[in-house]
Amino acid sequence: MADAFALELSNISKRFGTHWALAHLNYGLPPARSLLLTGHNGSGKTTLLRLLATAIQPTLGQLQVLGFSAKRETSLIRQHTALLSHASYHYEDLSAEQNLKLLARLLGKPSAQLPLLLERVGLSSRKQSPVRQFSAGMRKRLAIARLLLKAPRLALLDEPFGELDPSGIVDMENLIRELKAQGTTLILATHLVEQGLSLTESRLHLNQGRIEEAS
């Protein structure tokens, strides 16, 4: 039987020192659903995405991701989840192609698709260049290629339109639509609310670490 929720948050709270970044979040997102995550700076959006990616653990509450326990089955969640964030996590001294080849080897994926991925994100002409020479937008494009290579069941996108030029923004919108068409569960955190609403089906608005609106 399929899981009723791709994500299930039960009283999720996260504290950093004396500050509660998230407080008493209860929410369920069905599989293959796209969610827009909104809120002002400091509202808890990035903290929530990092929790879902198991980069950090909640202080209180129970979290299920893709049917797995975020406390006991983090490795299984990470196998099927990709986080596109402000940090690129690229190997700076390796080329774009070498970065993707390394990831493909780690994932057990064939490398034959890498030229197509590099072409798709507009990096074919710079595939041999070390990442340390890349602009912020080029690093974001390489991060998109990494996400496509992983083909996750859950995609977490933290301000994905940032640092992209107009053509890159169009590419990102097309990527989001493609992921949705493939049945990927997707969470998009962005300050571009109208743009985000046009790409997603549900919305969760955070205010000072609490759910203010869910639709």
Side-chain angles (χ1 to χ4, degrees):
M1 181 173 140
D3 295 311
F5 294 106
L7 307 173
E8 190 168 7
L9 289 68
S10 302
N11 197 38
I12 288 296
S13 303
K14 180 61 181 178
R15 183 179 63 194
F16 296 103
T18 60
H19 172 66
W20 288 93
L22 297 172
H24 310 298
L25 270 58
N26 293 283
Y27 187 75
L29 183 69
R33 189 85 174 173
S34 57
L35 173 70
L36 175 64
L37 188 60
T38 59
H40 298 297
N41 289 336
S43 62
K45 301 188 303 298
T46 295
T47 298
L48 178 55
L49 291 179
R50 293 184 67 205
L51 281 172
L52 298 176
T54 71
I56 56 176
Q57 286 289 321
T59 305
L60 298 171
Q62 300 295 320
L63 175 60
Q64 295 277 329
V65 180
L66 301 173
F68 303 115
S69 165
K71 183 177 182 180
R72 300 185 303 274
E73 300 171 298
T74 55
S75 62
L76 292 173
I77 293 172
R78 291 173 185 175
Q79 286 177 25
H80 302 289
T81 302
L83 171 64
L84 184 66
S85 67
H86 305 287
S88 63
Y89 302 108
H90 302 313
Y91 291 96
E92 295 287 309
D93 291 328
L94 298 184
S95 68
E97 185 176 52
Q98 288 170 330
N99 267 273
L100 291 182
K101 282 184 176 179
L102 178 58
L103 179 61
R105 189 157 55 244
L106 291 172
L107 295 174
K109 304 261 187 178
S111 59
Q113 62 181 309
L114 301 187
L116 182 60
L117 284 178
L118 287 163
E119 181 180 356
R120 180 171 177 185
V121 299
L123 290 178
S124 290
S125 64
R126 298 294 302 274
K127 65 181 182 181
Q128 300 296 342
S129 300
V131 172
R132 55 183 161 75
Q133 296 179 355
F134 281 11
S135 65
M138 293 169 66
R139 290 167 186 265
K140 178 66 71 67
R141 287 176 178 271
L142 182 55
I144 294 170
R146 287 170 56 93
L147 185 147
L148 288 168
L149 177 60
K150 190 168 187 180
R153 289 171 54 194
L154 171 64
L156 308 169
L157 310 180
D158 193 4
E159 295 294 344
F161 305 111
E163 302 165 336
L164 291 175
D165 57 19
S167 67
I169 290 173
V170 172
D171 289 342
M172 179 60 73
E173 291 175 336
N174 290 334
L175 168 64
I176 291 170
R177 294 187 181 99
E178 179 180 327
L179 290 171
K180 289 172 58 180
Q182 293 172 350
T184 306
T185 303
L186 185 143
I187 300 182
L188 166 63
T190 181
H191 291 295
L192 304 177
V193 176
E194 293 303 317
Q195 190 171 20
L197 287 172
S198 71
L199 294 166
T200 55
E201 302 153 322
S202 302
R203 181 181 181 183
L204 189 68
H205 185 75
L206 298 180
N207 184 16
Q208 296 183 347
R210 296 176 181 270
I211 296 176
E212 185 173 80
E213 177 186 348
S215 59

